């Protein structure tokens, strides 16, 4: 055994690692928290691509599927996403087709044929919800929404799972829901609910057959409901509020069909593998927490990108001097206070001895503190920066100063040329 | 909580769970990077960037294709190679897959880990045991251990070299 393998075994042999938090771990986690976006997921073990770090890029092309059954083949019965699910039965197996890919549910399954398409519908709804929630970030009518600061969410472990609810009434200002069932996962078991809530009509986004609809069209129907809280910012002012929004998708299957497959551990490879991927084609690539601009996630942190900072390892994407704790001195915790991260991507329009100006897809001009010394250090490794170069950045901003477009050195988390 | 579940939790929004992965792998990853680039500070930066990049791209991690550790080590290796190229140095080659797999705590049988731990406790003189524990289990650098023990850095290197020789001998 060579030395490095022996050393690796030595490292692995400790039984104390889980308790060992040293400065490296703390520092790394602080950086990660500073960039984190709250993510939500429903049955990530099944579907999907949760938004992970770059929450706001999602959006999907409508997809999928039709419903039908029994013998040998299936046919599409409509054009809305849910109706496009295809399912057929062959012997002991039920198959679901999604955009030319077939997922097979073998005889060892312990749920009904109908549950198979219910599962497909649930995944389709998940994808539709991703698109709907993503659209929230695009500024409209002088208002923008951003995710709450990490200090509000990191300790709260923002699991947001959908629940099934019946829309029991809709009036001029409110929507009343009766919660029936929580769709959980390994960490949050599914279970029955019996709770009635009333939410503002303005904050309830109804979808019928996968398309936006009036809430009244959902009345007396079963829906999968997602809840998300945003920071609502009136652009051009310091006015920010928290606002909870509800996304209710009317479903076509019965609750019992969903219940059968809730909590099934079906991601393991095998005959009953039922991973069902929503169609992520046609992404709109809204910038994370910066819905006015578009970012192409494919450009981020790719090989060949050039970090604009310098660390012990030379060029670095990450700013070693970025603020770690937000605007406050930490008091026992390490969460940033009132700080969110935003993605900014654009082309350099001006370079001075103190800053770079970048124009984004919306035409906004962002100024990044970047000195002549920084540029000289960068130029030791790469071709010098010039007007027209494309940059991508993650910046830190206070939720009370969201109109700020001049970012000082402490609030630039990462910066790279691509 | 197993590793896949931890990753699922992170993807579901529980960022704090990622600390488990950082805690589990950082010591081995730093040592691994240090072996590649020959510089402790650079190794820590590379390891940290690898953890951040892995976090940013966690949704792309496919547990069916590789273990998390393998994926993480590959990211770190790429960064180390970039660093060495910047330094115009030759890039060492190692069997990344095997090293990463071996560094995974669940890889070897628990009995084997127990044997190793037992052998470490029996190391003589005690400074050898302390050096192994500090370097491989607590993630201390040579420099930090030297300062704690008030000895030159080269003495720490000697302790570790002899301790590993003794362990190899004891375990054969």
């Amino acid at each position: 055994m060579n030395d490095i393998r022996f050393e690796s075994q030595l490292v692995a042999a400790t039984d104390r690692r889980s308790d060992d938090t040293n400065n490296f771990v703390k520092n790394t986690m602080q950086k990660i928290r500073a960039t984190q976006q709250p993510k939500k997921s429903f049955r990530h073990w099944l579907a999907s691509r949760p938004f992970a770090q770059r929450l706001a890029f999602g959006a999907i092309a409508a997809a999928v599927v039709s419903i039908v059954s029994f013998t040998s083949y299936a046919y599409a019965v409509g054009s809305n996403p849910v109706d496009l699910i295809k399912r057929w039965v062959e012997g002991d197996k039920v198959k679901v087709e999604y955009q030319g890919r077939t997922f097979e549910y073998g005889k060892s399954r312990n749920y009904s044929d109908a549950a198979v398409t219910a599962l497909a519908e649930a995944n389709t709804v998940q994808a539709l919800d991703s698109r709907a929630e993503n659209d929230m970030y695009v500024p409209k009518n002088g208002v923008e929404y951003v995710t709450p600061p990490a200090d509000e969410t990191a300790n709260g472990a923002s699991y947001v799972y959908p629940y099934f609810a019946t829309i029991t009434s809709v009036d001029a200002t409110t929507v009343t829901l009766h919660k029936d069932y929580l769709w959980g996962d390994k960490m949050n078991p599914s279970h029955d609910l019996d709770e009635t809530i009333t939410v503002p009509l303005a904050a309830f986004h109804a979808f019928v057959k996968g398309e936006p609809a009036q809430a009244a069209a959902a009345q007396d129907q079963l829906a999968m409901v997602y809840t998300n809280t945003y920071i609502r910012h009136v652009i051009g002012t310091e006015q920010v509020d928290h606002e909870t929004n509800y996304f209710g998708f009317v479903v076509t299957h019965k609750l019992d069909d969903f219940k059968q497959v809730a909590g099934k551990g079906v991601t393991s490879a095998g005959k009953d593998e039922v991973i069902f991927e929503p169609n992520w084609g046609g992404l709109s690539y809204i910038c994370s927490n910066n819905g006015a601009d578009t970012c192409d996630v494919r450009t981020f942190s790719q090989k060949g990108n050039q970090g604009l900072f310098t660390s012990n390892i030379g060029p670095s994407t990450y700013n070693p001097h970025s603020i770690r704790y937000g605007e406050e001195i930490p008091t026992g915790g390490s969460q940033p206070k009132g700080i969110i991260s935003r993605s900014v991507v654009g082309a350099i329009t001006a370079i001075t001895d103190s800053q770079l100006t970048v124009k984004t897809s919306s035409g906004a001009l962002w100024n990044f503190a970047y000195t002549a010394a920084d540029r000289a250090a960068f130029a030791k490794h790469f071709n010098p920066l010039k007007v027209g170069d494309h940059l991508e950045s993650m910046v830190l901003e206070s939720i009370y100063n969201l109109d700020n477009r001049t970012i000082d050195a402490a609030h630039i988390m990462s910066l790279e040329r691509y | 909580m197993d590793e896949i579940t931890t990753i699922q939790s992170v993807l579901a929004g529980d960022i704090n769970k990622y600390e488990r992965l950082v805690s589990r792998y950082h010591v081995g990853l730093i040592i691994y990077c240090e072996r590649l680039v020959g510089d402790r500070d650079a190794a820590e930066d590379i390891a940290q960037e690898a953890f951040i990049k892995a976090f940013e791209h966690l949704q792309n991690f496919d547990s069916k294709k590789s273990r998390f550790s393998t994926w993480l080590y590959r990211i770190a290796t790429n960064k180390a190679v970039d660093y060495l190229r910047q330094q115009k140095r030759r890039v060492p080659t190692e069997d990344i897959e095997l090293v990463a797999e071996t560094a995974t705590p669940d890889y070897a049988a628990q009995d084997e880990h127990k044997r190793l731990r037992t052998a470490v406790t029996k190391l003589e003189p005690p400074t050898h045991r302390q050096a192994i524990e500090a370097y491989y289990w607590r993630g201390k650098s040579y420099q930090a251990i030297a300062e704690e023990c008030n000895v030159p850095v080269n003495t720490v290197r000697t302790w570790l070299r002899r301790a590993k020789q003794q362990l190899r001998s004891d375990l054969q």
Side-chain angles (χ1 to χ4, degrees), chain A residues 1-11, chain B residues 102 116 136 163-165 167-168 171:
Chain A
M1 184 186 297
N2 63 26
D3 197 50
I4 200 162
R5 287 191 60 200
F6 181 69
E7 289 187 308
S8 296
Q9 285 210 341
L10 250 179
V11 170
Chain B
T102 310
L116 249 176
Y136 291 105
K164 283 188 289 182
Q165 287 171 346
L167 285 172
R168 284 174 183 272
L171 292 169

Side-chain angles (χ1 to χ4, degrees), chain A residues 117-410:
Chain A
T117 33
L119 191 57
E121 180 174 17
N123 281 282
T124 303
V125 168
Q126 161 69 4
L128 294 171
D129 174 70
S130 297
R131 183 173 63 179
E133 294 196 35
N134 191 57
D135 286 348
M136 285 291 292
Y137 293 94
V138 179
K140 299 178 190 72
N141 304 319
V143 172
E144 71 169 338
Y145 290 89
V146 297
T147 55
D151 58 303
E152 295 181 17
T153 57
N155 290 327
S158 57
Y159 291 109
V160 182
Y161 298 100
Y163 50 83
F164 289 85
T166 304
I167 317 299
T168 55
S169 69
V170 179
D171 63 26
T173 56
T174 62
V175 177
T176 301
L177 314 169
H178 183 264
K179 294 181 179 179
D180 297 305
Y181 188 74
L182 177 73
W183 186 296
D185 73 354
K186 290 178 180 176
M187 282 75 74
N188 296 272
S190 302
H191 58 274
D192 288 317
L193 301 169
D194 183 13
E195 180 188 357
T196 299
I197 62 169
T198 299
V199 305
L201 177 63
F204 186 82
H205 308 270
F207 295 81
V208 178
K209 293 186 176 180
E211 300 294 336
Q214 297 294 319
Q219 185 162 342
D220 299 326
Q221 300 194 66
L222 182 68
M224 284 177 69
V225 180
Y226 294 79
T227 305
N228 201 359
T229 298
Y230 301 87
I231 298 286
R232 181 181 184 275
H233 168 227
V234 179
I235 296 171
T237 75
E238 294 182 359
Q239 182 184 337
V240 289
D241 301 292
H242 289 73
E243 184 179 293
T244 299
N245 281 258
Y246 303 83
F247 302 83
F249 296 82
V250 169
V251 292
T252 61
H253 286 76
K254 297 175 182 175
L255 180 58
D256 282 346
D257 296 333
F258 292 105
K259 281 186 174 183
Q260 287 182 53
V261 284
K264 298 291 184 190
V266 288
T267 54
S268 59
K271 291 180 180 177
D272 277 345
E273 183 177 1
V274 292
I275 294 175
F276 185 77
E277 296 172 339
N279 180 0
W280 291 88
L283 297 179
S284 61
Y285 294 139
I286 294 167
C287 291
S288 175
N289 257 344
N290 177 21
D293 289 327
T294 54
C295 294
D296 187 341
V297 68
R298 292 167 296 187
T299 68
F300 278 86
S301 302
Q302 298 301 305
K303 196 172 180 62
N305 287 10
Q306 299 164 346
L308 265 67
F309 298 103
T310 303
S311 72
N312 288 320
I313 61 171
S316 173
T317 297
Y318 302 97
N319 176 8
H321 306 298
S322 66
I323 195 162
R324 300 283 168 76
Y325 302 103
E327 307 307 297
E328 298 178 2
I329 297 172
T331 54
S334 58
Q335 303 301 325
K337 303 295 183 187
I339 295 291
I340 63 165
S341 55
R342 317 184 90 173
S343 289
V344 181
V345 169
I348 297 176
T349 59
I351 300 174
T352 72
D353 283 347
S354 61
Q355 68 179 27
L356 305 172
T357 301
V358 167
K359 187 175 185 178
T360 64
S361 62
S362 67
L365 296 176
W366 290 73
N367 299 307
F368 297 96
Y370 198 73
T371 65
D374 293 331
R375 275 192 288 123
F378 178 82
K380 288 180 181 175
H381 303 285
F382 305 111
N383 291 330
L385 286 171
K386 63 182 187 305
V387 170
D389 285 351
H390 285 83
L391 300 184
E392 59 181 70
S393 176
M394 186 72 79
V395 304
L396 302 169
E397 282 200 317
S398 164
I399 60 169
Y400 303 108
N401 193 20
L402 289 172
D403 294 316
N404 177 39
R405 296 292 178 267
T406 297
I407 312 300
D408 64 34

Side-chain angles (χ1 to χ4, degrees), chain A residues 7 13 17 53 273 316, chain B residues 23-24 35 49 55 64 136:
Chain A
E7 289 187 308
R17 177 127 45 259
Q53 175 81 357
E273 183 177 1
S316 173
Chain B
S23 293
R24 175 177 290 180
R35 293 293 175 270
E49 291 208 2
F55 172 81
K64 292 178 190 165
Y136 291 105

